[in-house]
Amino acid sequence: MIDWRYCGRFNEWTQNAIPEPNLTWIDETEAKRRYTLPAQELALIPVLQDSSGIVPWHINVTTGENPSFMITFQRPPGVPESRVRWRNVGNGRLFAHQAHLWDYPDQPPHPMLPMKERDALMRFDFINNEDGTGRLLIYEKGSRDVTTADRRIDPTTMYASVPAWGRWDDLANRDAPHHP
């Protein structure tokens, strides 16, 4: 089982909690309290296991009675590589209704580069519906056009169980929504 850290909001660029009273690091007791209350700020961060200084992924929780989750997978220097949004559909089930993939140059962006130069070359947004329909949107760097296409999916592969407390890595280990 993975060890976790908790905060109100995680900053991908600094790889740290936002240093404001309601957003900074909190203990597990406070995280459990926020988890079930609506409209609370809560981020779940696995304890870093290597020396890169970059958390491989983190989770933002839409708190409440039926929590939803957004998992962001990162690469150095702390830029998103993919993101999956899991919507709670009730009865202990989640549906991966959105997935976003970023395509960067071969070399990872340097953190000291201006923001415009850290941008991905392309971003792919997959919008999934429970009825098996979906949409793909492709954004290219430097273009104002967006390529769109309707798509069909097997919605049965887009469901997961709401993870038990502390078992959020089960969502991160699923392949279907991470690679739509």
Side-chain angles (χ1 to χ4, degrees):
M1 192 148 128
I2 289 181
D3 291 323
W4 296 90
R5 296 182 300 157
Y6 312 94
C7 65
R9 193 176 305 158
F10 186 71
N11 183 324
E12 293 171 356
W13 283 105
T14 64
Q15 294 294 295
N16 208 339
I18 303 281
E20 293 180 20
N22 199 37
L23 304 178
T24 194
W25 297 110
I26 57 176
D27 62 22
E28 185 173 13
T29 302
E30 175 62 10
K32 284 182 177 181
R33 186 189 73 77
R34 290 184 187 189
Y35 188 78
T36 57
L37 297 175
Q40 297 291 305
E41 296 267 5
L42 181 60
L44 314 169
I45 298 88
V47 172
L48 191 58
Q49 300 295 327
D50 63 34
S51 61
S52 72
I54 305 299
V55 177
W57 49 274
H58 61 89
I59 302 172
N60 292 347
V61 180
T62 302
T63 61
E65 184 179 339
N66 295 303
S68 294
F69 305 87
M70 180 177 73
I71 303 176
T72 301
F73 297 86
Q74 304 183 110
R75 63 182 272 186
V79 294
E81 196 164 43
S82 66
R83 181 172 287 148
V84 181
R85 297 173 188 264
W86 291 93
R87 181 179 63 228
N88 195 311
V89 293
N91 295 323
R93 292 176 39 154
L94 301 170
F95 181 73
H97 71 104
Q98 290 182 16
H100 311 277
L101 302 174
W102 286 265
D103 182 26
Y104 294 96
D106 290 336
Q107 291 294 97
H110 191 278
M112 297 308 289
L113 287 174
M115 188 61 92
K116 280 272 189 209
E117 294 181 36
R118 293 185 231 167
D119 289 347
L121 299 175
M122 298 179 84
R123 186 181 88 210
F124 302 86
D125 292 351
F126 298 86
I127 312 301
N128 306 313
N129 301 311
E130 291 184 74
D131 66 0
T133 62
R135 193 148 184 81
L136 167 64
L137 295 91
I138 302 172
Y139 303 86
E140 292 185 64
K141 183 177 182 177
S143 175
R144 293 182 182 197
D145 295 332
V146 177
T147 304
T148 63
D150 292 331
R151 61 189 218 120
R152 299 287 306 166
I153 58 169
D154 176 4
T156 61
T157 65
M158 299 295 179
Y159 287 94
S161 297
V162 174
W165 180 264
R167 295 303 310 252
W168 304 289
D169 52 312
D170 292 346
L171 287 179
N173 293 330
R174 291 189 43 97
D175 284 339
H178 185 177
H179 303 286

